Amino acid sequence: MRSMEAVMKDAGILFDFLSDGGPGPDRADFVLAMGSQDLGVADTAARAFQEARAGWLVCSGGLGKDTAALFSQPEGELYAQRCLALGVPEDRLIVERDSTNSGENFRFTRAALEERGIFPKTGVIACKPYMAKRALAVGAFQWPEVQWSVFPTKPSLSEYTGQGDIRPVLELMAGDLQRLRVYAGRFQAPVEVPEPVWAAYERLAGDGYDRYVVREI
C-alpha cells in the first residue's frame, strides 16, 4: 500500500488539472449552477450571477449518484434556497429538479429556459472546483450554441477539503478524470489528458479510489 503522502501528491495533480477552467467571464446571459454534494456551489453561483451581471440563474440538480443517500431534497432546490438567502431575486431564479448527471444538467436546463422563451448565447457555469474542465467539455458537446465559461474559484486541494473526509473527493475526481477520456465524443467534447495526469489517475484507481470509475466501456 502506498503512503498517504504519495496518494495526496497524485490527488493534487488531478485536482489542479481538473480545476483549470480558464479565465472567468466578463458577462453572461445566465448562470448554470451544477448540482452536486457540495452545497458551497450555491455561494459560487450567487457570486457568478452578480459579477457576470447575468439575467438568469438556473439551479440544476435532482438526486445523483453521490447525493441520493445524503439529501432529502433535490440539489437544485437546496441550491435555490441558498441563492435566495444570498440576494438572488426570486424572479430571476429557475429550479431544475430532475437531472441526475452532468449531461442532464445542460439538457434539462436548456429545456427549462426554452420553455420560457429564453435562448441564451453566453453562459457561466458554477460547479465544484474539480468539475471545471469536464463541465466545459460537457457544455460544449450538449449545448454548443452557448459560449461557456466557468466561474473561477481556484482553492488548493487542502483548502477545499479542509478537515473533512477526503476519500469521497478522491473517488469523485478519479471518476471525473476517467470520463474525460471514455466519454469523449459521446457525452462531452474531447479533452487532452496529459500522460502524467492519466498515470496519477491510474495509481489512485489502483489504490482503491475507484468507486465512480466507469466499468462498462
Side-chain angles (χ1 to χ4, degrees), residues 174-187:
D176 279 352
L177 194 285
Q178 186 216 25
R179 281 164 174 76
L180 289 179
R181 281 197 176 179
V182 302
Y183 283 176
R186 294 194 295 156
F187 303 109

Side-chain angles (χ1 to χ4, degrees), residues 11-203:
I13 291 171
L14 261 64
F15 187 85
D16 291 345
F17 177 74
L18 291 169
S19 299
D20 184 7
D26 292 325
R27 190 159 191 164
D29 294 332
F30 83 109
V31 174
L32 167 55
M34 295 184 68
S36 71
Q37 90 289 359
D38 183 352
L39 297 180
V41 171
D43 294 56
T44 302
R47 291 199 308 274
F49 176 81
Q50 294 158 0
E51 293 185 22
R53 293 165 288 172
W56 300 91
L57 193 163
V58 181
C59 292
S60 172
L63 292 172
K65 65 181 186 295
D66 56 335
T67 56
L70 294 177
F71 301 149
S72 59
Q73 291 178 263
E75 300 154 1
E77 290 183 0
L78 294 172
Y79 279 18
Q81 291 167 15
R82 177 61 175 164
C83 288
L84 287 170
L86 292 171
V88 175
E90 187 172 5
D91 62 354
R92 299 285 98 187
L93 188 63
I94 297 171
V95 182
E96 185 285 298
R97 300 174 174 85
D98 297 319
S99 57
T100 60
N101 58 57
S102 56
E104 290 179 349
N105 285 142
F106 287 90
R107 295 196 302 274
F108 294 177
T109 292
R110 179 175 189 167
L113 288 174
E114 290 182 352
E115 285 174 3
R116 294 165 171 80
I118 303 166
F119 300 91
K121 299 297 182 185
T122 54
V124 58
I125 302 163
C127 60
K128 298 175 294 186
Y130 59 88
M131 187 65 189
K133 195 174 291 291
R134 196 160 85 84
L136 286 173
V138 176
F141 187 90
Q142 300 286 348
W143 199 349
E145 295 83 0
V146 170
Q147 180 181 342
W148 294 103
S149 58
V150 173
F151 191 77
T153 52
K154 292 291 187 180
S156 67
L157 177 58
S158 61
E159 289 169 338
Y160 181 69
T161 57
Q163 300 301 313
D165 182 6
I166 197 170
R167 185 176 188 90
V169 175
L170 300 187
E171 292 173 339
L172 287 162
M173 286 199 301
D176 279 352
L177 194 285
Q178 186 216 25
R179 281 164 174 76
L180 289 179
R181 281 197 176 179
V182 302
Y183 283 176
R186 294 194 295 156
F187 303 109
Q188 58 193 47
V191 175
E192 182 179 353
V193 179
E195 286 305 319
V197 177
W198 186 256
Y201 149 73
E202 290 186 317
R203 288 191 293 268

